[in-house]
Every structure is written in C-alpha cells, then in structure tokens.
Amino acid sequence: MIDDAAVLVRTYFETGTLPGLPQGHFIGGHYAAGSDGEMLESFDPGSARAFASFSAGKGEDVFRAVEAAEKGLAVWRDTTPAERCRILNRAAILIRERAGYLSVLEALDSGKTLDEARGDVRSCARLFEYYAGAADKLEGRSIPLGPGLSCWTEREPVGVTAQIIPWNYPTSTFARGVAPALAAGCAVVAKPAETTPFTALVLAGWLAEAGVPAGVVNVVTGLGADAGAALVRHPAIAHITFTGSVRTGVDVMQVAAPNVTRLTLELGGKSPLVALADSDVDKVVDGALWAIFSNAGQICSAGSRLVIDRKIHAEVLEKLIGKARALRLGHGLKGPDVGALNSQAHLERVHAHVQAARRRGLSILTGGKPATDEQTGTGWFFEPTIIDGLPCDDPAVQEEIFGPVLAVQIVDGEEEAVAVANGTEFGLVAGIYTGDISKALRLARAIDAGQITINDYWAGGVEVPFGGNRKSGFGREKGLEGIEAYARTKAITIRH
Ligand code: NAD
C-alpha cells in the first residue's frame, strides 16, 4: 500500500481515484459483495466528481453482518482482556503507520482539508490506544452485606452493538464507538454515512490485520433508510450508538423502543462561545474563527454562536471579519484553510438558511454565498459567513445550520450572557472567554452543556468525556465514561 500522502494526492489528481479502495461490505472478516449488487457513487466534494462506488446495503446484508457479529461476539467476549488490549494497541500502531493513506482518503470522501483529516486520523489512532489501556481495567466492586453473604459486581460486554456514523468525522467517530466497544468485549456492526463510506471499510480490514477475530467488526455501507434502518431495528442489537441529526435520532429512538435496545445519542448542537467584556480580544478572535470555520463549520460542537459583550463587540467583529475574509477556500488536497461542504444537498441547505436570514433583513457582515475551488471552478464550497446582532428567537440562532455560518448575539454583562448561552434547545459544548477565573467558574456551572472549555474553545482530547444535554442527546463518549455504554454491570451474591 502506498502511504506517502504527497504521492497519493498526485495519483488522485492524475487518475481521478485512489488505489486500494475496498470493494463491498466487510462481513465476517472479509470484503463481500452486496446482496443485490446495487452500487452507489461516492463524490469528491472538492471537485463535485464521483471518484469511486460502493455497495448499497439492504436488510439482507445487515442480517448477514449481525449473524457474523453474533459469532464474533462468542469468541471476543472470551478473549482475555490482556489480549484485547494487545490487539487494540496493534491496531493503533497500524493506523499510525498508514496515516497517509487514511488521511488522503478521509479528505477525499468528506471534503475536509488534508491537515484536518490528518488530525482526525491521529485521534482515531489515539482512541484505539486509549481504550486498549482500558480493556484490562474494567473492574467490579465488592459490596458488604454482612455475615454469611458475599456480593460483588462484574462488568460484562453488552453484546452486538450498532454504530451509526455521520459524514463530518467518519474516521474519528468510527473509532470513538468501535474502540471502547471492542475494549469491553462487544462485537460491532457499523453503518457509515452514505457520502463517506470508505474509511470505516478500510479500518475494519486493518482491525482484522491487527488480530481482531472474524465477525467481531463488520461494516455495511448504504443508505440510512435501508441499511441504517434495518440495523437499528434488528432484535439482536444490544446497543445503538447513533451520531447524527436530532430528526434521525428521534426516529432511531422510536425504532429501538419495541426491542428495548440501549442507546447512546450524539446529536446536534448550537454551541455558544461566550466572550465577556474582560476577555483577551485576540484570543476571542482566533477562538471564534476556528470554533466555526474548522471543518467548514460541519461540526456538531462548532461554536456556531458568538455571545459577545457589547463592550468588545466592535473590536472583535472588525478583526474577525478581516480574518474570515482572508481564509482560502479550496479542494481539501490542495492545502486550503477551509475545505468543501460534504454534498451538494448539504450546500443547498446551508445556502437556504442564509438566504432566509437575508430575507428577514438580518445583517450579513461577510460571506453568504456558495463558492467553488478557484483553480477548477468546481466543488461545493460556502463562503465563511457572519450574521450580526441576532435576537434569541431568530432561526439562525435556534437551528443548527451545520456550515460556516456564525450567528452573533450581543449581550450586556454576565447574567444576560448565561441566559443567552442557554437560550436554545441544545446543550453540547460552551466556550467561555474571560480574564476573571471566578466569572469563568460561575459560568461553567451555570451553562447547560456536556462540555465547557475556558479560554480555548477546542481544549480537550480523547481522554475528556463528550456528549450532550437536552436535544444534543444523552450518554457520553470518549474518556473512561465512553466505555460505560458497552460494559453492563452484573451483581453476584452468594450465601455461605
Ligand atoms: P443524519 O442523521 O442524516 O445521518 C447520520 C447517520 O444516520 C448516517 O449514517 C445515515 O445514513 C444514518 N441514518 C439516516 N437515517 C437513518 C435511519 N432511519 N435509521 C438508521 N440510520 C439512519 O445526520 P447527518 O446529516 O449525516 O449528520 C449531521 C448531523 O450529525 C448534525 O446534526 C450534527 O450535529 C450531528 N453530529 C453530532 C455529533 C455528536 O457527537 N454529537 C457528531 C457529528 C455529527
């Protein structure tokens, strides 16, 4: 396999595709053609051209994958934790050794920049390494019941888990669910998004190379309405980890209910970056810029609202607009600052949000239009956009746009900042900028979100638990909490 990213990028621009792309689903330890042979195309968002095709999985493919996973589970749950730990560590090493290939593929499939994809691949390797270290530390406890009784708990794998993956972070979201599931002794059937099927398929093959037994990790590609729906409905699925939109998350909950299937829901967000009057203005500007324009704003935890004190509003906005205008858009493999949106349909959705804001007479300070790659005149790009002075009830504040569109809300003082920060139905992340540690800690307590960062919007790592409150979902991934969903507690009591 060629792993040199520069060689792969050249190859892609010469041939219009990448070598070594997997064919079919990954079921029972090998790549297998889809049951009805139907294929879908995968597009390069930076050029709006198809670069490969993949199987359109159906219920039958899902049944085969779940059956394989049940067999895999029987082997994996009895593999010693120490051995699971060694295998997951080998997987992390393989991912690092082949990071060039995975990064180029991820950039191509998703539209993100190669630098962003490299970061995601580093997180992916780190997640396998992190949960490798947890595999042999899933300990129970002993419970004192008095004379004649001994009681203790054990942690056992929940069973076969379904991983439903979105298109914005395909590689790291795969690892975020699959690594802890494997560490806990579970088997997996993963369904990547229909626009980003390839990295999950590649990773499943590499996990097998690292020593994960056949059937323990399976990947079925295809549409959410076909393969995804069949997977979450399957009665042998013990836990569903769903990352995606609120609308689909609600559907998944309803489908899971009759089987009483356990759920982790990682849904949307409309996260605030709160900048108080005593903040370091340059830090706020840089923080806000990358909180919203990283990954072209397609991040559930993007800082898509800037909640800013009136006293620093003018200075921050002047600098922020200058920086936003200077960002270079372009094909992700050509080293731009900001890559493409993932699909034409998504670009149209983002554009429609901004057009509606324009019709409402809102102040669009910069951006606001679709764009293309400068060299080729193609691709699905959207200009970095800032909308100023928004009232709390405006749709641009309340609805997740999931693109490079920042909604600015002006506040007077700490109390109003908290009320405005909490003024949506989401609760995923909040960034707080202030020079006063007491205020920072007060706001950290008062703001309803699963994660709070202070004076660095993206502070954190795979060690830090991540997940939402309210309509951003429930359950936590990453950190040691991330393994909880996959290891249930069994209590054993003896009279003696
Ligand atoms: P989506 O809900 O349309 O799709 C997500 C996944 O669900 C895809 O794999 C899709 O094929 C599958 N799916 C669709 N319908 C299904 C069904 N009926 N049954 C089972 N699976 C089905 O979301 P999207 O547009 O791909 O992703 C963007 C959304 O994801 C945004 O709202 C974003 O905030 C959210 N997201 C959340 C997190 C998080 O960690 N909280 C991370 C990334 C993305």
Side-chain angles (χ1 to χ4, degrees), residues 79 91 136 198 257 292-293 311 362 386 423:
T79 302
D136 55 358
F198 283 110
I292 183 61
F293 300 131
K311 293 196 181 78
L362 295 173
I386 301 176

Side-chain angles (χ1 to χ4, degrees), residues 186-456:
C186 295
V188 170
V189 181
K191 210 298 285 172
E194 41 272 61
T195 54
T196 53
F198 283 110
T199 44
L201 286 169
V202 166
L203 282 164
W206 293 359
L207 285 165
E209 275 185 64
V212 174
V216 176
V217 174
N218 307 275
V219 175
V220 177
T221 56
L223 299 177
D226 295 335
L231 181 57
V232 297
R233 196 183 304 126
H234 199 296
I237 296 297
H239 183 94
I240 301 165
T241 296
F242 173 84
T243 307
S245 60
V246 176
R247 187 177 37 78
T248 314
V250 170
D251 287 350
V252 168
M253 268 180 110
Q254 280 165 345
V255 170
N259 292 329
V260 197
T261 309
R262 303 155 58 108
L263 278 173
T264 299
L265 289 183
E266 296 283 9
L267 307 178
K270 195 76 189 185
S271 298
L273 185 157
V274 180
L276 299 183
D278 61 359
S279 310
D280 176 326
V281 163
D282 291 321
K283 275 195 189 155
V284 172
V285 171
D286 274 343
L289 186 79
W290 292 114
I292 183 61
F293 300 131
S294 298
N295 214 39
Q298 304 161 109
I299 314 183
C300 53
S301 49
S304 49
R305 295 188 292 137
L306 175 60
V307 177
I308 186 158
D309 195 285
R310 192 180 305 279
K311 293 196 181 78
I312 55 169
H313 168 258
E315 189 184 354
V316 166
L317 264 290
E318 191 195 330
K319 290 185 174 177
L320 188 58
I321 291 167
K323 292 207 172 200
R325 287 189 179 144
L327 293 173
R328 293 167 303 114
L329 269 56
H331 192 288
L333 296 181
K334 292 183 190 163
D337 298 315
V338 180
L341 298 195
N342 180 246
S343 66
Q344 182 163 13
H346 187 54
L347 173 63
E348 285 165 9
R349 267 196 301 273
V350 170
H351 191 202
H353 272 288
V354 176
Q355 280 175 314
R358 213 185 288 282
R359 280 196 296 276
R360 293 195 297 278
L362 295 173
S363 166
I364 298 174
L365 299 179
T366 188
K369 294 191 299 298
T372 52
D373 177 87
E374 226 174 54
Q375 286 171 358
T376 62
T378 58
W380 301 315
F381 298 85
F382 200 81
E383 294 172 347
T385 299
I386 301 176
I387 310 179
D388 196 18
L390 287 167
C392 257
D393 59 355
D394 190 87
V397 166
Q398 295 300 331
E399 294 168 13
E400 187 183 40
I401 299 175
F402 216 57
V405 181
L406 179 65
V408 180
Q409 298 176 270
I410 306 168
V411 294
D412 292 295
E414 191 182 322
E415 208 175 305
E416 191 184 357
V418 170
V420 167
N422 284 337
T424 73
E425 55 185 13
F426 297 106
L428 193 52
V429 169
I432 298 165
Y433 282 67
T434 169
D436 181 334
I437 189 66
S438 300
K439 284 185 189 163
L441 296 177
R442 268 201 306 273
L443 261 65
R445 289 257 166 93
I447 294 177
D448 188 1
Q451 298 72 221
I452 302 283
T453 55
I454 297 171
N455 290 335
D456 174 0

Side-chain angles (χ1 to χ4, degrees), residues 125-146:
R126 181 73 190 112
L127 281 157
F128 279 100
E129 182 179 72
Y130 180 81
Y131 287 110
D136 55 358
K137 297 168 193 73
L138 273 173
E139 296 165 354
R141 61 195 178 99
S142 75
I143 298 160
L145 293 179

Side-chain angles (χ1 to χ4, degrees), residues 65-80 84 157-161 181-182 184-188 212-218 236 488:
V66 174
E67 206 179 315
E70 286 181 297
K71 290 187 183 135
L73 176 69
V75 176
W76 190 241
R77 65 186 310 152
D78 288 341
T79 302
T80 63
R84 280 188 225 141
V158 297
V160 177
T161 72
L182 295 185
C186 295
V188 170
V212 174
V216 176
V217 174
N218 307 275
R488 63 187 174 205

